[in-house]
Amino acid sequence: MKLKKIGAIALSAAMIMSLAGCGSSSKEKKYNIGICQLVQHEALDAATKGFKDALKEKLGDNVKFDEQNAQGDSATCATIVNAFASSNVDLILANATAPLQSAAAATSTIPILGTSVTDYATALDISDWKGKTGVNVSGTSDLAPLDEQAAMLYELFPDAEKVGLVYCSAEPNSQYQVEVVTEELENLGYKCTSYSFVDSNDIASVVNSAVENSDVLYIPTDNTAASSTGVIDNICKPAKMPIITGEEGICEGCGVATLSISYYDIGYKTGEMAYEILKEGKDIKDMEIEYAPEVTKKYNPENCEALGITVPADYVAIGE
């Protein structure tokens, strides 16, 4: 009788342990992801949305985002990502160059994915670039082909002589774009002059100087410029000064044409990369930087009309 009772108890205990084991194995891990976005503007907002959409589609309720905006301040980026590192998040999304640099300085162990970063070699000071960083950083680039941007400027303004290149000197990727585009434009016969501003406080004076000494302006993918397009437009439109831009958001705010990528798409791709790291165990050190799958010639109908510019038939109106 006692043996039967002991056997029943042992069987019950085994069943309980088995059920408990099943419950723990079926429980999905919850992932905490820190997002540091440099500043709020259309392009970066779209990249963040694409990233979140991709992970929510793949992980559902098992992913939680701590989304922070640095309001354009590099020191705030450092504060934000240091907090992420201290709380040991599962992954950091660095949206733009300054957050990427701060995140890389904050942790060498937590996976860091960048997006809206033009050139990772420049951002991370890597001299021997081979397509991947070799450290805990990877991501997507927002770089559209710079030779094609120069060709676009020549296509629309073949008779111009002087090109003013306007950018924020605090953004190393803007400096990189300007250096490359300058060489391309000079090969096409233009005289190029750079006009750099430190932050939004001196952008008006710098743009006024560029307008006075240029036939056409070029503004690269630049976060400070993107958040100040109203200021730029108020100076350039009355002066009938056309602007070729590095991305669609700036073009919509103050430009006439751009070679555009989709920031939502590169953000979404970054989210897919995050899933590969978190769920599939992919080593971020081996992940190459990804680029936008396609670019599109786009134009700003309102500004083109105001400046009397007719674009070729293969250009797409922004908003269509």
Side-chain angles (χ1 to χ4, degrees):
M1 194 68 182
K2 286 183 178 178
L3 289 174
K4 288 185 178 180
K5 187 173 182 180
I6 291 171
I9 292 171
L11 181 61
S12 298
M15 291 177 65
I16 291 168
M17 290 180 69
S18 176
L19 288 170
C22 289
S24 61
S25 64
S26 63
K27 186 177 180 180
E28 291 286 339
K29 175 178 169 59
K30 307 287 185 181
Y31 296 98
N32 294 307
I33 295 179
I35 299 175
C36 181
Q37 181 173 316
L38 176 61
V39 69
Q40 184 175 9
H41 65 69
E42 184 178 344
L44 299 190
D45 291 347
T48 293
K49 186 177 188 307
F51 175 80
K52 292 169 67 176
D53 284 354
L55 279 176
K56 285 188 288 188
E57 286 177 17
K58 293 179 177 294
L59 296 174
D61 295 332
N62 293 319
V63 61
K64 181 180 178 182
F65 302 103
D66 184 356
E67 187 175 344
Q68 303 285 336
N69 193 299
Q71 305 300 325
D73 184 65
S74 295
T76 304
C77 289
T79 301
I80 291 169
V81 296
N82 281 327
F84 290 159
S86 296
S87 61
N88 199 31
V89 296
D90 294 297
L91 183 141
I92 296 173
L93 174 71
N95 191 347
T97 301
L100 182 80
Q101 293 170 324
S102 295
T107 176
S108 61
T109 55
I110 297 172
I112 300 164
L113 287 174
T115 191
S116 314
V117 176
T118 304
D119 182 66
Y120 283 75
T122 300
L124 300 175
D125 195 24
I126 300 173
S127 57
D128 186 22
W129 181 247
K130 296 179 179 178
K132 51 190 175 184
T133 68
V135 294
N136 62 317
V137 179
S138 189
T140 55
S141 170
D142 62 358
L143 182 64
L146 294 170
D147 57 339
E148 293 182 33
Q149 292 184 37
M152 168 182 279
L153 191 148
Y154 184 77
E155 180 177 44
L156 295 177
F157 306 103
D159 298 326
E161 296 179 358
K162 298 178 291 184
V163 178
L165 299 100
V166 180
Y167 69 99
C168 179
S169 59
E171 299 189 33
N173 282 325
S174 297
Q175 175 75 49
Y176 166 79
Q177 292 171 82
V178 165
E179 289 174 356
V180 175
V181 168
T182 294
E183 184 176 351
E184 296 288 346
L185 290 170
E186 288 177 344
N187 289 338
L188 292 170
Y190 292 105
K191 179 182 178 182
C192 298
T193 305
S194 296
Y195 298 87
S196 64
F197 50 89
V198 177
D199 53 36
S200 58
N201 294 319
D202 64 338
I203 193 168
S205 61
V206 170
V207 171
N208 271 309
S209 179
V211 167
E212 290 173 6
N213 297 284
S214 308
D215 299 317
V216 57
L217 300 185
Y218 170 82
I219 300 178
T221 300
D222 184 288
N223 293 299
T224 309
S227 60
S228 306
T229 55
V231 174
I232 299 170
D233 193 52
N234 287 339
I235 296 169
C236 292
K237 190 179 290 183
K240 301 292 184 181
M241 175 59 63
I243 306 172
I244 298 296
T245 72
E247 60 96 1
E248 183 175 332
I250 301 176
C251 187
E252 185 174 17
C254 63
V256 294
T258 184
L259 196 64
S260 177
I261 68 163
S262 167
Y263 276 80
Y264 179 87
D265 287 350
I266 63 170
Y268 193 94
K269 178 60 182 177
T270 314
E272 292 180 326
M273 294 172 76
Y275 180 82
E276 291 175 350
I277 294 165
L278 297 171
K279 289 290 288 184
E280 298 178 356
K282 199 161 187 179
D283 189 345
I284 193 170
K285 297 182 181 68
D286 297 328
M287 299 177 75
E288 293 196 353
I289 302 303
E290 301 278 355
Y291 294 83
E294 59 183 33
V295 292
T296 306
K297 290 181 177 180
K298 291 196 173 184
Y299 72 102
N300 182 325
E302 180 183 342
N303 282 2
C304 284
E305 183 178 356
L307 274 62
I309 297 169
T310 301
V311 299
D314 60 338
Y315 283 62
V316 178
I318 291 175
E320 287 188 355

